[in-house]
Amino acid sequence: IPSMSTNNVESRVIKAPVAKVWSALKKQDFEFWSLVKSVELSSSASEVGSIRTTTFADGTVQKHRLLEFSEVKHAFTYEIIDSEPAVSSLSAQHTFKVIPVTADDTSLVQWSSEFSSEGSLEAVMDAKYKKLDALKELAKALEN
């Protein structure tokens, strides 16, 4: 039986230049997002293989491993390696990308997730709405 994956991509134009948006995202501390209470990094935020422990406002604690980081492409990819309580779809890769909108010096932020075959519709929909809320909060934090 071939394995299947499910994708979810959300995006938003942020009325701020790429350098400002990337500077806020590349730290991976998610200070802008009200659902995140705290973030601890095992090492540099740009070091592939580093572990980020994120504590959410609801008490959920997740460990994320950085898989890819690019200053050139303004992008990073991570995976959830542990979650308490457990999440229904642990096997997923999530990517943030900041793309310049040259016409008006704004930024397109794209947050995509690729879930493995066990990714339930509920997990994908939950990710969709959390991403939309997070991107809205990012815009609010960065737009002057």
Side-chain angles (χ1 to χ4, degrees):
I1 299 172
S3 80
M4 296 174 59
S5 65
T6 305
N7 297 304
N8 167 252
V9 180
E10 301 304 331
S11 60
R12 184 179 183 109
V13 172
I14 309 284
K15 295 180 182 112
V18 166
K20 183 176 182 180
V21 177
W22 178 239
S23 180
L25 283 175
K26 73 179 185 178
K27 299 180 293 184
Q28 301 170 55
D29 61 11
F30 298 93
E31 285 179 329
F32 60 87
W33 196 9
S34 62
L35 288 186
V36 173
K37 183 177 171 186
S38 67
V39 173
E40 292 175 38
L41 290 165
S42 66
S43 56
S44 161
S46 62
E47 184 180 325
V48 171
S50 65
I51 306 297
R52 178 178 81 239
T53 303
T54 305
T55 303
F56 293 88
D58 69 358
T60 299
V61 178
Q62 291 184 345
K63 290 187 188 245
H64 304 135
R65 178 187 299 124
L66 187 64
L67 300 175
E68 186 175 38
F69 185 92
S70 175
E71 284 281 359
V72 174
K73 295 178 182 173
H74 303 111
F76 64 89
T77 300
Y78 65 94
E79 65 181 346
I80 300 172
I81 57 170
D82 191 33
S83 180
E84 189 58 48
V87 291
S88 62
S89 178
L90 262 183
S91 186
Q93 290 188 358
H94 309 276
T95 300
F96 270 95
K97 190 177 226 176
V98 185
I99 303 160
V101 180
T102 58
D104 58 4
D105 199 27
T106 59
S107 304
L108 176 68
V109 177
Q110 187 180 65
W111 188 357
S112 61
S113 300
E114 185 171 327
F115 298 90
S116 64
S117 56
E118 82 269 9
S120 67
L121 180 59
E122 291 82 15
V124 174
M125 294 310 288
D126 182 58
K128 172 187 178 71
Y129 293 112
K130 283 181 176 161
K131 285 179 194 157
L132 290 171
D133 286 345
L135 292 172
K136 182 178 181 181
E137 290 183 37
L138 176 66
K140 187 177 175 187
L142 295 179
E143 294 176 353
N144 296 339

